Protein backbone atom coordinates (compact mmCIF):
# COMPACT_ATOMS: atom_id res chain seq x y z
CA UNK A 1 0.00 0.00 0.00
CA UNK A 2 1.11 3.53 -0.68
CA UNK A 3 1.46 5.95 2.26
CA UNK A 4 -1.80 7.70 1.36
CA UNK A 5 -3.62 4.36 1.19
CA UNK A 6 -2.31 3.44 4.66
CA UNK A 7 -3.45 6.77 6.14
CA UNK A 8 -6.85 6.60 4.42
CA UNK A 9 -7.37 3.05 5.73
CA UNK A 10 -6.43 4.40 9.16
CA UNK A 11 -9.19 6.99 8.84
CA UNK A 12 -11.72 4.36 7.73
CA UNK A 13 -10.88 2.09 10.68
CA UNK A 14 -10.87 5.07 13.06
CA UNK A 15 -14.40 6.01 12.04
CA UNK A 16 -15.52 2.36 12.25
CA UNK A 17 -14.03 2.16 15.77
CA UNK A 18 -12.08 -0.94 14.68
CA UNK A 19 -9.39 -0.71 17.37
CA UNK A 20 -7.31 -3.74 16.40
CA UNK A 21 -7.48 -2.97 12.67
CA UNK A 22 -6.57 0.63 13.41
CA UNK A 23 -3.59 -0.33 15.59
CA UNK A 24 -2.36 -2.84 12.98
CA UNK A 25 -1.51 0.10 10.69
CA UNK A 26 1.04 1.48 13.16
CA UNK A 27 4.65 0.45 13.65
CA UNK A 28 5.17 -1.26 17.04
CA UNK A 29 7.45 1.64 18.01
CA UNK A 30 5.09 4.39 16.81
CA UNK A 31 6.16 7.84 18.03
CA UNK A 32 3.55 10.55 18.64
CA UNK A 33 4.37 14.23 18.90
CA UNK A 34 2.77 17.58 19.37
CA UNK A 35 4.37 19.51 16.53
CA UNK A 36 7.23 19.86 16.10
CA UNK A 37 8.96 17.54 18.57
CA UNK A 38 7.21 17.43 21.97
CA UNK A 39 6.78 13.71 22.65
CA UNK A 40 3.24 12.65 23.39
CA UNK A 41 4.25 9.02 24.00
CA UNK A 42 4.66 6.04 21.79
CA UNK A 43 4.21 2.34 21.24
CA UNK A 44 1.12 0.28 20.51
CA UNK A 45 0.16 -0.13 24.19
CA UNK A 46 0.13 3.66 24.59
CA UNK A 47 -2.02 3.97 21.45
CA UNK A 48 -4.44 1.35 22.77
CA UNK A 49 -4.77 3.23 26.09
CA UNK A 50 -5.67 6.43 24.24
CA UNK A 51 -8.08 5.06 21.65
CA UNK A 52 -9.86 2.18 23.40
CA UNK A 53 -11.97 4.55 25.55
CA UNK A 54 -12.84 6.66 22.48
CA UNK A 55 -13.83 3.76 20.20
CA UNK A 56 -17.27 3.25 21.71
CA UNK A 57 -20.70 3.87 20.19
CA UNK A 58 -21.19 7.62 19.93
CA UNK A 59 -17.42 8.13 20.31
CA UNK A 60 -15.10 10.03 18.00
CA UNK A 61 -15.32 10.57 14.25
CA UNK A 62 -12.91 12.28 11.91
CA UNK A 63 -13.29 14.05 8.60
CA UNK A 64 -10.39 14.79 6.30
CA UNK A 65 -10.72 18.27 4.77
CA UNK A 66 -7.45 18.36 2.80
CA UNK A 67 -4.72 15.85 2.12
CA UNK A 68 -1.20 16.05 0.67
CA UNK A 69 1.22 13.18 0.01
CA UNK A 70 4.95 13.70 -0.42
CA UNK A 71 7.21 10.68 -0.43
CA UNK A 72 6.64 8.79 2.79
CA UNK A 73 4.59 11.59 4.37
CA UNK A 74 0.87 12.32 4.35
CA UNK A 75 -0.39 15.62 5.72
CA UNK A 76 -4.06 15.87 6.61
CA UNK A 77 -6.21 18.73 7.74
CA UNK A 78 -8.79 16.97 9.91
CA UNK A 79 -11.79 17.75 12.04
CA UNK A 80 -12.19 15.34 14.92
CA UNK A 81 -15.63 15.28 16.51
CA UNK A 82 -15.79 14.12 20.11
CA UNK A 83 -19.10 13.72 21.98
CA UNK A 84 -18.64 17.13 23.62
CA UNK A 85 -16.50 19.14 21.18
CA UNK A 86 -14.94 19.46 17.77
CA UNK A 87 -11.20 19.98 17.18
CA UNK A 88 -9.27 20.85 14.04
CA UNK A 89 -5.87 19.24 13.54
CA UNK A 90 -3.13 19.19 10.98
CA UNK A 91 -1.69 15.68 11.22
CA UNK A 92 1.63 14.70 9.67
CA UNK A 93 1.95 10.94 9.19
CA UNK A 94 5.30 9.34 8.40
CA UNK A 95 4.74 5.99 6.68
CA UNK A 96 7.55 3.46 6.25
CA UNK A 97 7.24 -0.13 5.00
CA UNK A 98 3.44 0.06 5.02
CA UNK A 99 3.17 1.18 8.68
CA UNK A 100 2.71 4.57 10.31
CA UNK A 101 6.06 5.22 11.99
CA UNK A 102 5.34 8.64 13.52
CA UNK A 103 2.56 11.20 13.79
CA UNK A 104 2.91 14.90 14.55
CA UNK A 105 -0.20 16.86 15.52
CA UNK A 106 -0.53 20.59 14.97
CA UNK A 107 -3.48 21.56 17.16
CA UNK A 108 -5.78 24.59 17.30
Amino acid sequence: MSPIEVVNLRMKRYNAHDLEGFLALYSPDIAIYDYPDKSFGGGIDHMRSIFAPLFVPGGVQTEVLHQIESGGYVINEEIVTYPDRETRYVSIYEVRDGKIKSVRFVRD
Side-chain angles (χ1 to χ4, degrees):
M1 274 191 285
S2 71
I4 204 163
E5 290 171 324
V6 170
V7 170
N8 286 341
L9 183 55
R10 177 229 185 255
M11 296 303 171
K12 180 178 179 181
R13 290 179 179 175
Y14 182 100
N15 285 334
H17 300 152
D18 174 3
L19 182 62
E20 295 308 316
F22 172 81
L23 293 174
L25 297 170
Y26 287 88
S27 173
D29 61 347
I30 176 68
I32 309 160
Y33 302 94
D34 278 334
Y35 185 84
D37 58 3
K38 180 181 175 191
S39 179
F40 187 62
I44 293 297
D45 289 339
H46 181 72
M47 294 284 293
R48 183 176 278 107
S49 74
I50 293 170
F51 289 98
L54 299 174
F55 282 13
V56 296
V60 297
Q61 292 289 304
T62 190
E63 177 186 0
V64 176
L65 302 176
H66 299 99
Q67 193 169 54
I68 300 168
E69 180 181 27
S70 180
Y73 292 89
V74 177
I75 302 169
N76 283 353
E77 180 183 11
E78 305 166 359
I79 294 179
V80 180
T81 303
Y82 300 90
D84 61 341
R85 70 187 186 287
E86 196 173 87
T87 303
R88 186 176 294 245
Y89 294 92
V90 172
S91 303
I92 305 165
Y93 300 92
E94 177 188 9
V95 181
R96 301 284 177 231
D97 301 319
K99 300 281 185 180
I100 301 169
K101 180 81 175 156
S102 71
V103 183
R104 285 175 164 74
F105 295 108
V106 181
R107 303 173 194 265
D108 289 358

